[in-house]
Amino acid sequence: MNLSDIKFNEQGLVPAIAQDIFTSEVLMMAWMNKEALEQTLATGKAVYFSRSRNKLWLKGETSGNFQEVKSIHYDCDGDTILLMVDPKGPACHTGERTCFYRAMGESGIKPAGPRVMTELFRILKERKTNPPEKSYVASLYAKGLPKILEKIEEESNELIEAANEKGRSDVLYEFCDLWFHSLVLLANQGIEIEEVFGELGRRFGISGITEKESRGVKGKE
């Protein structure tokens, strides 16, 4: 980033939007001056400028809800900053995950894109505390790992059958079933969805052969 490309307004400020790097969810909008942007670049944590207090503030300094900045972008006009962050807690002072938690009217908008996975995974983890007789997922947890693995094997076989013998819609349906039960397995094993994103990100740009060799895994002849 070239700071000279940033167009600060008459007050020396530029709007900064924080977006969750894992879910693409917009978390908050705040302001930055040049010093806040420089500190953000230097520390890797989001630093903003408070207009009401007329001072810099490190997001999470008092709450612990830091935002680890993974990348910084600016728009075509250079007058808006976009921070891709790994949030370590709610972004909003109300305790909500995002400041944009209210909708005008009954929007009825369902999660889309990567957020579908994170929202689904959140619900799957919550099901651990549900009575088994009232929740299918809770019943899987109650029956333990063997039952979960049995379902994954079953769904995997159905996906293979759909790919070999059925149509496109069947493949999509069975793939989602397999994905769903694989997420149940992750939740059962205490693996967070962010760990999956992190592992996939680690592999990005690395050939499959190189990645396997790094783990000492031999390919099939």
Side-chain angles (χ1 to χ4, degrees):
M1 169 176 282
N2 190 342
L3 289 178
S4 64
D5 291 337
I6 305 303
K7 298 176 183 176
F8 296 93
N9 65 17
E10 295 82 0
Q11 291 76 43
L13 303 174
V14 64
I17 299 168
Q19 186 173 5
D20 191 313
I21 194 170
F22 297 118
T23 67
S24 298
E25 187 175 18
V26 176
L27 300 176
M28 60 179 283
M29 178 270 172
W31 295 90
M32 284 183 165
N33 61 8
K34 184 178 180 182
E35 186 179 359
L37 184 51
E38 288 174 337
Q39 287 198 20
T40 298
L41 287 165
T43 65
K45 287 186 171 63
V47 177
Y48 301 105
F49 181 84
S50 171
R51 295 179 297 172
S52 60
R53 292 176 290 168
N54 195 36
K55 61 182 290 188
L56 298 181
W57 60 285
L58 170 64
K59 174 64 178 173
E61 188 171 18
T62 56
S63 65
N65 300 327
F66 295 100
Q67 293 176 348
E68 293 185 359
V69 179
K70 300 303 182 181
S71 65
I72 303 178
H73 309 261
Y74 51 99
D75 72 345
C76 54
D77 295 320
D79 58 5
T80 305
I81 299 292
L82 175 64
L83 307 177
M84 302 302 297
V85 304
D86 178 2
K88 299 305 179 183
C92 186
H93 71 282
T94 63
E96 294 287 343
R97 172 176 170 77
T98 169
C99 292
F100 300 95
Y101 62 91
R102 297 177 292 183
M104 289 186 179
E106 297 297 328
S107 65
I109 298 176
K110 295 182 179 180
R115 189 180 171 196
V116 172
M117 181 181 281
T118 54
E119 285 296 303
L120 172 59
F121 193 68
R122 178 184 61 79
I123 293 170
L124 292 179
K125 290 196 295 183
E126 290 177 354
R127 292 292 188 269
K128 286 186 173 183
T129 59
N130 285 22
E133 63 274 11
K134 293 185 177 181
S135 166
Y136 168 69
V137 173
S139 71
L140 290 178
Y141 292 136
K143 293 172 183 176
L145 181 61
K147 183 61 178 179
I148 296 173
L149 295 179
E150 178 185 318
K151 286 300 299 181
I152 290 176
E153 182 178 16
E154 175 186 322
E155 300 300 344
S156 178
N157 289 333
E158 289 179 0
L159 175 59
I160 293 170
E161 179 184 352
N164 281 324
E165 303 175 10
K166 299 180 181 179
R168 182 177 181 277
S169 61
D170 294 288
V171 172
L172 175 61
Y173 186 89
E174 298 299 345
F175 175 82
C176 290
D177 274 354
L178 177 58
W179 200 1
F180 178 91
H181 288 89
S182 296
L183 289 175
V184 173
L185 173 63
L186 290 184
N188 186 74
Q189 301 300 97
I191 299 173
E192 294 295 333
I193 196 67
E194 289 80 11
E195 295 180 70
V196 176
F197 293 139
E199 175 60 17
L200 290 174
R202 181 188 69 81
R203 299 184 187 188
F204 194 82
I206 302 174
S207 76
I209 295 175
T210 301
E211 197 282 327
K212 285 184 177 181
E213 288 177 347
S214 70
R215 294 183 290 126
V217 178
K218 295 183 178 179
K220 294 182 178 180
E221 295 297 333

